[in-house]
Structures are given as C-alpha cells and as structure tokens.
Amino acid sequence: MKRKQSAKAGAEDRERRMAWWREARFGMFVHWGLYSQLGRHEWVMNRERIPVKEYERLADTWRVKSAPAREWARLAKRAGMKYMVLTTKHHEGYCLWDTKQTDYNAVKRTPGRDLVREYVEACREFGLRVGFYYSLMDWHHPDGARCAKSEPARRRFLDYTQALVRELMTGYGKIDILWYDVSWPLPTPEAWESRKMNRMVRKLQPDILINNRSKLPEDFGTPEEKIVAGEPGRGWEACMTFNGSWGYYPSIPAEDWLSVRKVLSMLREVRAGGGNLLLNIGPTPGGSVPPEAVERLIPVGQWLKKNGEAVYGMPERNGDCFAMDRFTRTGNTAYYWRRFWAGREMTLGGFQTKLKRVSLLATGRTFAFTQTAQQIKITGLPMKCPDRIAGMAVFKLEFKGKPKQRLGAGCVLL
Ligand code: GLC
C-alpha cells in the first residue's frame, strides 16, 4: 500500500517537474568541443584512432570568438525553441567548464574560458531552459576503459564522474535537464552507481529532468535520429542531427541538411506522438552557427510564430498511427497540416465528430464546408498554398467533441 502511494506521489512529482518540458516541444542541442576544430564528426578521435597524446594538443589551439552562446541562444529563441542542451563533456573527455577534477578543461587550456558559464548565462538572458549533456563514456581519462576490468579503476572513475556531475549541479544555479550519454563500458546501472548518482543530482536540483541514458529510465526516453513514441504517458524526445553529424562537419553538402519543411514535419510528428524534438547544431570551432542552420531555423521560427498553436502545449497523443497523415490535436480541435495543394476543394474522410468551424490557423480566415457521415468537404480554398514561409498551411478544425477519425484500414489516426 505504502509502495503504491509513494509510486503515485513519484508519478505526480514527475508530472509537475515535466510540465514545462512537455509544453515546450522544441529544443536546441549543441555539440561543441575540441573535435569541432577537426570538422570530421565528434567521434573523430575514435574513428581515426587518434592517440590520446596527439588529440590532447587540440586543447592548446581552440580559438573561440566572444560570446558565441549568445548567438546560439538568440537563434534558438527566434526559431521557436524553448530550451537548450550543451555538451559539457563529450566522449573526448574535454570539460568545457572550470572543473577542479582535471586540467583537461577549457579554462586551464584553450580557450581559457568557462564555456559552460557563458552558455548558462546566455540561456537565461534569452529566457531558455538550461540543459547539460554529459558523456559517461570518456576516451581521455586513463580509467575510462579499464574501469570495466579493474575494480580500483572503476572506483576512481566513478569518483571522478560523480565529482564532475556534482560540480555541474552546484556551480551554475538552476539546471533544468541532465542529458547523459553513452554508458560504455560498464554493463549495469549498479556498476555505474546510477541510482546513487541521480539521487545526488535530484538532491542538488530538485526540479531537474534526467534522460534515460545512465541505464535507468528516469524521466524521458531519447530516440536518436528517428521519431518513435515511447509508452503512452511517458516523456520522450527525439534527438536529431541537422545534417547527419552532431559535431561541426563543413564538408557535408547543403542538400544533405534537413529542409525547413522537414523540420516542420518532425515537429508535427513529435507533437502527434506526444514527444519533443531536440534539433542539433554543431557550431564552428570559433562558435558560429553554420549558415545552413541559420537559414533554416529562422523560417522555422517565423512559421511557428503563426502556426505554433498546432505544435506547443500539453501533448495529446493521436492514435497509434500518429505519424501517418498530417494531424495534430488539442482537445476538440484538430490541426490539419497541408502541404500538397490541388484546387479549391479538399475532402477529409472518416470524421465521426461534428465539425463546427474551419479556418486557416495563420490568418484566421474561415471556409465553408459540408459534412456527411464519411466526408467533410471544404470549399473556397485559395488555388495555391497560402503559406509563403514553408509551403505548409495548417487548417484549424474545431469540432463539437474530441475529434475521432476512422478510415477503416485498421489504423487509428485520431
Ligand atoms: C550518440 C553519439 C554522440 C551524440 C549522441 C547524441 O550517442 O555517440 O556522438 O552525442 O548520440 O544523442
């Protein structure tokens, strides 16, 4: 009984902590580190088997312009993003903050600045929630691999890990998200002492959200490079690269970057599946946002300004086929995302609920319609897609009750 009650209290507490995140829908991931200087993917040290001693030299050559994090945060805000997550330490092991645990950090070496502090301040300045990515896997620490084979090495590495996480949780004010990554080489949460570590984190940051990559489910799932919903009711966040690499990779051609419309489609899919989208930028070594990202994120933000109602807010997950067709929903309202345009009429099939009103979300313009048992026919549409930003118009369909759509092919959309 007691157990049940505390599980319920735990679930309620989680809902309370997660409310802002569930409504936020859209965040910016930032992968930035020594690897950015090489511009060949953030796994370059591993993929090219660069010896530690050789790689370490990158810690003496990192030149960073003034206040790059303000640029990211300003862009995130303009793009309609509500939070950010920065790689405070990626697999390469370089710490972007003023840690006392190792000299392999951005204050003692180059650029000679606490990049985490600059980032946190920039997020706050632009009203964005603050997330820290932290890689458990560490290719630089001498115990990072051998901790799997040697008990004294494991003890040292865990003490190191916990001390780093503690610093991040104490030195920078309120932190909203802790985003762990890769838990190689230890096999279990027990071996990582993840429960103990996360208990410490929550003690220091009672409202924090923790992802599922310390080998414990914690607050939310993290499908990577794909949009797949978790169990109903559980938070999930699809993390996506913009161009196939998390770290700066200038030789990737522009056509390999996600288009504006693709980003919008992803937002629609995560919304319909009750999840979030964490979209990555890999700044240049100096800290600038690649122009390909800027060019795409600004129209995304302009579009969201007009159509954000179809994206933000408490997720109300569609039926199991949430990614099919083009609907999102809030209460009695369905939003129909229309890309293909074919004449002045359109027909929506299978709606079982009575429609009261149809309008264009961006302008409020209303349209005439008729409804039968199987079809809604909307008339008087403009000949061409009225959305000039991305060619993606949203129709707001206000129903009498919660909209239900049955198409009879075994797949429930709404
Ligand atoms: C992977 C990669 C890593 C990246 C992360 C983001 O786990 O190892 O480079 O930071 O995904 O989700």
Side-chain angles (χ1 to χ4, degrees), residues 213 222-229 236-241 246 266 269-270 276-277 322:
R213 293 195 183 181
T222 53
E224 180 169 323
E225 294 286 56
K226 53 181 186 268
I227 296 179
V228 190
W236 60 276
E237 172 190 71
C239 52
M240 308 296 280
T241 62
W246 301 95
M266 286 175 172
E269 286 185 30
V270 296
N276 283 18
L277 176 65
F322 69 87

Side-chain angles (χ1 to χ4, degrees), residues 25-50:
R25 192 79 41 233
F26 192 22
M28 175 184 274
F29 213 170
V30 181
H31 275 68
W32 198 45
L34 296 179
Y35 48 80
S36 310
Q37 293 177 71
L38 298 179
R40 300 193 297 273
H41 199 276
E42 75 287 354
W43 274 67
V44 61
M45 181 178 175
N46 169 275
R47 288 185 178 179
E48 298 181 12
R49 290 314 239 173
I50 304 176

Side-chain angles (χ1 to χ4, degrees), residues 318-322 405-407 410-414:
N318 293 1
D320 291 338
C321 313
F322 69 87
Q405 188 191 27
R406 296 290 175 268
L407 294 169
C411 191
V412 178
L413 298 173
L414 279 176

Side-chain angles (χ1 to χ4, degrees), residues 200-218:
M200 163 187 80
V201 168
R202 293 195 191 283
K203 222 169 160 189
L204 296 168
Q205 297 282 347
D207 291 336
I208 203 163
L209 306 182
I210 304 179
N211 78 348
N212 65 341
R213 293 195 183 181
S214 60
K215 293 203 182 296
L216 293 173
E218 295 291 353

